[in-house]
Each structure stands twice: as structure tokens, then as C-alpha cells.
Amino acid sequence: MIYLDYAATTPQREEVTQAMLPYFSEQFGNPSSAYEIGRESKKAIMEARRSIASTINALDKEIYFTSGGTESNNWVIKTLAQDRIKNNGKCHIITDAIEHHAVLNSCKEMEAWGCDVTYLPVDDKGRVNPEAVRRAIRPDTALISVMMANNEIGTIQPVRQIALIAKERNIPFHVDAVQAYGHMPIDVKELGIDLMSVSGHKFYGPKGIGFLYIRDGITINRFMNGGMQEKGLRAGTENVASIVGMAKASSLAIEELEAEMKREISLRDYFINRIRQEIPLVKLNGADADERLANNINFSFGFVESESLLIMLDMKGICVSAGSACATGDKKPSHVLMAIGLSEEMANGTLRFTIGRHTTRKDLDYVLCELKEAVENLRAASIKYEEYIKKYQPVSAGRILY
Ligand SMILES: *Cc1c(COP(=O)(O)O)cnc(C)c1O
């Protein structure tokens, strides 16, 4: 099997599993209990918090464990909006059109509560314009939420510039960094981020665990009512094993970050160049090298249905994604691809390849070979393609179709 869907999830590292094991057996104590095994669990959480905080230049007390990226995003958007509605009766959120559904659908829900939401457009590479953020600000703006890097097309947003604007106006700035954390350096202080969502399973950690960074000085209400866990903001007995596992995954990811980024960038660009050279009528979606995640490759293939392409590759043992994992299954074209201006036809012929620690050049050579053949076969059966060829013969390899 060749797995090229690391943006959907990553395989948990063996070191992570090993670090977690004791907490499934002898180290089962509740961190809130006062006796020895309880205190040991509490200590494990403390150490995990410290270790994770150090990877983003945060204080220990600024890290709050959650069940993942979805929960962290829901927490920020819903509690800030509800608090504002309760106290002011009015509320406004600024976000953008290509956020993850955990952000978009939380915003939609807050619209039903009476909150206004501005969904800023993005340019053809998927970038939010910081000046558009500035223009969208209103006296009742309670939150600006823009992701660090997009999960479908890999575009990295100008987070630092947006943070400066948010700070000028004293508006909390939230960043969904689920795709970025562990894949590019993040210093929350240097970037000026107030709130940041991260998920364990996107960087070789466990599923169902994540954290929310809440800058010291930012007031945000509790998301779960109950006991006093996570300083009373997120009640519920801690997922000790997963917290320990995520911290392990995090320290390994940060340790290896520079070398792994370099390796992935070189594989990414190799794959991009070969597709462009060897498969005609394709379009690379997303930004150029320095504004693009090291592991993301997203191509539209003209005259091809990505669902068919995906199945043909699956039969060869290749795992890729059409759009994003979350969008697969519903038939609507991806909101991200629509927002960057693709036609519905091109959007429906789009595949995302996301590489990772286990990807080799040999894997990519094999995938390219199978991809070429699958695209050719699908086009050979396409009437539209036949008509196109008649009209524009000869089709030069690598010609870009818009
Ligand atoms: C995966 C993902 C999420 C959701 O995280 P979970 O931990 O799976 O809930 C949120 N935002 C982005 C950008 C993602 O890629």
C-alpha cells in the first residue's frame, strides 16, 4: 500500500504507542486523585503540557487539552460568540471561505444565534488578504479566525500580518493550525496568535486528542461544565494516555522538523514537476513553494472524474483523497476549490496527494506511473475529451487548462 493521505490522518508512531502503554494498564490513576498513582498521572499531564508549550514558545498554563481540532475550534468560536451575544446583544465574526468545516459550521451555528459572520473571499491561490480583514472589522467584531494552512490545497496564510491588524483593534485572533503544527515552525508569540487549535493525529500522534493554546490575558469561557480539570475551562477526566502520546509525537515532530520539511519539499516539487511534464491538461491548485505546506500536492485533471480516478488508484493500493476526507461522500464540489475560482468541472477532477514520513521517491514514481495510465484510460472514455482533442490537436504535454 502507498499512503498519500497524510493530511487526513497520520499513522501513530511506534514511540508514541510505547509512551502511552503504561497508562492503559498499571498507570491508570485519575489525575484528580490524591494518592500515589493519581499523582503520577497528574505529573505525566504536567510534563506533557510543559513539553508541548515549549514547542510553540508558549507558557505551560496557556495549553488546554481537548479532544482534537474540531473541539478546539468549536470552543473558541461558540464561547466567544455566545458571551458577546449575552453581554452586548450583538456579535460579529470574521473568517474566510476556505476554513475547515469545524470552523465554518461553528460559525453557521452562531449565525442562528444572531451573530453576523463575514466569510472573506480568497485569491486564486487561496490567500486571505490582510487588508480585507482590516476593512471587515466592525465595532462589534468579537473574533477573527483564519487558519495557518489549508487542509486541501496547502496554502499558508499571512497570519503574522492578520495578527498585527487584530492586535491594533484589540480583537482576539484565532488560528486553526491543525495542518501546520508539526509540519512547519510555529512561534505563537512571534506570530502574535491569541488562540490556536492543534490536533494530535495530524502529526503521528493519537486520534481524539488535541489542544487549544489560549494566550495568557485572553478571556474565554468554559466549554465543558463539570469538574475543575483544565483550570475549570474544560471539565472531564483527562485522556492521560493520549495526552502523553501527543506530547511524545510533538517532541519527535519538532526535533525532526527541519530535516523532514526539507525532505518533503524536495519530494513535493519532484512530484509536481513530473505531473506537469508528463500529464497534459492539469492544473496545480494552491500557492507557490514558499507559501505552501511541505507535504501538499493538489492537482485538477481535465476531463477526469476524481471519484473514478481515486477508485482506480485504490485498486493499485494507492490512497489519495478527492478534495478532503471530510468532503468525500457528499457530492458537492469542495468549497475550497470553488473559492479559488475553479469551474465545477475542474473541481470534480481534483485529487489531493499529501506525503509524509514514510513517503519515498520510489513510491511517487510508482504513483505517477499508475496515475498517468488511469488518467489516459478515463480520458479515452470521455466524449468531452474526444471533442476537445478534435478542436485543439495537438495537446502539448503539461499544457495548463483553466
Ligand atoms: C483535521 C482538521 C481538523 C479537525 O481535527 P480533528 O482532530 O480531526 O477533529 C480541523 N482543522 C483542520 C485544518 C484539519 O485539517
Side-chain angles (χ1 to χ4, degrees), residues 68-70 73 100 147 151 176 178-179 199 201-202:
T70 299
N73 289 341
H100 189 272
M147 71 205 315
N151 46 305
D176 174 345
V178 172
Q179 285 295 329
S199 171
H201 74 100
K202 302 287 175 77

Side-chain angles (χ1 to χ4, degrees), residues 142-206:
L143 174 70
I144 298 170
S145 181
V146 174
M147 71 205 315
M148 182 84 74
N150 183 265
N151 46 305
E152 288 188 43
I153 55 174
T155 302
I156 297 167
Q157 298 294 358
V159 161
R160 186 186 286 110
Q161 290 95 303
I162 298 170
L164 282 173
I165 292 164
K167 196 180 167 75
E168 260 172 43
R169 303 292 293 268
N170 207 18
I171 298 163
F173 177 44
H174 168 248
V175 173
D176 174 345
V178 172
Q179 285 295 329
Y181 182 84
H183 300 274
M184 59 184 273
I186 299 174
D187 179 326
V188 287
K189 297 283 143 53
E190 190 241 339
L191 290 169
I193 296 169
D194 295 321
L195 300 137
M196 185 170 83
S197 304
V198 172
S199 171
H201 74 100
K202 302 287 175 77
F203 57 95
Y204 310 93

Side-chain angles (χ1 to χ4, degrees), residues 267-287:
L267 286 175
R268 175 194 73 187
D269 295 343
Y270 171 74
F271 196 53
I272 288 176
N273 288 333
R274 281 202 62 191
I275 289 180
R276 277 178 158 162
Q277 282 160 15
E278 294 173 41
I279 306 179
L281 303 171
V282 300
K283 180 184 185 299
L284 175 72
N285 300 309

